[in-house]
Amino acid sequence: MIKAIFYKEWIKTRWMIVVSFLIASGFLFYLLLNLFRVIDLKGAVHIWDVMIQRDALFVDLFKYVPLFIGVILGITQYTPEMYHKCLKLTLHLPVSSTRIVMAMLGFGYTILLFLFGSCMMILYLGLSSILPLELTRHILLTASVWCLAGLAGYVLTAWITLEPTWKRRILNGIACFFLIRIFFLESAGEAYNHFLPTLIFFILCSSSFIFLSVSRFKEGKQD
């Protein structure tokens, strides 16, 4: 039954996943090509000096891409459940609603980890060919916070989408805006290093919000 749920989620999101991968990877290749062009013009030493002296990352434009992907996946995966009233049917499957919701979340997390892991690999392969290991690590650790923001954006979007009443959706949306802001309060490189475990714990705790929305849906809450 869980495999069937995974297949259903794949059918709903497969094109979004492919497009997201193409957009994210294309974006990174574009940024890396620009970096290679600057190196050809001014040399690698100039890039190293700018990174060290000015804390430049050269991939800042990628900052909000993971968040965008997470939000779009949440909308693509959960909006049909509410719009086509499929959630009620899904929750009546011969499996506990908790396992069903966890399977849906697990699918989303798996897809995002694959997408973001691919992005980090592209960055690593591109940067390690022109930068010392320390500078490559600096950029990757900074970008990891952006990927965590994408995971948070996904689960919080699911929380909003599965909420059965518009009034509560608006309140949830306002709360989510400030929660997401936590991931972008500091722009300096590796500013969140000591908080990475806390951010991961926050994302895992945020997953419980979805069960609140599903519980309200099962109780028949309406506008």
Side-chain angles (χ1 to χ4, degrees), residues 51-85:
M51 288 188 66
I52 295 172
Q53 298 296 329
R54 304 180 187 176
D55 195 26
L57 296 175
F58 297 104
V59 293
D60 301 79
L61 292 177
F62 186 70
K63 177 183 290 188
Y64 296 103
V65 173
L67 175 60
F68 174 78
I69 291 175
V71 170
I72 293 301
L73 178 60
I75 293 173
T76 304
Q77 186 178 355
Y78 297 104
T79 298
E81 297 288 335
M82 302 300 288
Y83 182 77
H84 297 296
K85 304 187 185 302

Side-chain angles (χ1 to χ4, degrees), residues 111-219:
I111 294 301
L112 290 179
L113 289 174
F114 167 77
L115 290 175
F116 298 157
S118 300
C119 290
M120 297 293 276
M121 182 59 66
I122 292 171
L123 273 179
Y124 173 76
L125 293 176
L127 295 173
S128 61
S129 64
I130 55 175
L131 297 177
L133 180 60
E134 292 77 7
L135 294 180
T136 300
R137 174 181 174 274
H138 176 68
I139 293 177
L140 292 178
L141 282 175
T142 304
S144 65
V145 178
W146 307 338
C147 293
L148 290 178
L151 293 175
Y154 164 73
V155 71
L156 293 175
T157 299
W159 177 38
I160 296 172
T161 306
L162 293 178
E163 166 58 41
T165 67
W166 277 103
K167 180 179 180 180
R168 185 67 68 90
R169 282 181 185 174
I170 294 173
L171 294 176
N172 291 354
I174 295 173
C176 290
F177 172 81
F178 290 104
L179 291 174
I180 290 296
R181 280 284 297 161
I182 295 174
F183 293 84
F184 301 101
L185 289 175
E186 182 55 64
S187 59
E190 295 191 64
Y192 287 86
N193 276 7
H194 297 296
F195 297 99
L196 288 177
T198 303
L199 293 177
I200 294 173
F201 179 73
F202 164 74
I203 293 170
L204 294 176
C205 290
S206 299
S207 300
S208 63
F209 296 169
I210 296 180
F211 294 95
L212 296 177
S213 292
V214 172
S215 176
R216 286 171 51 78
F217 178 85
K218 291 173 64 178
E219 293 172 3

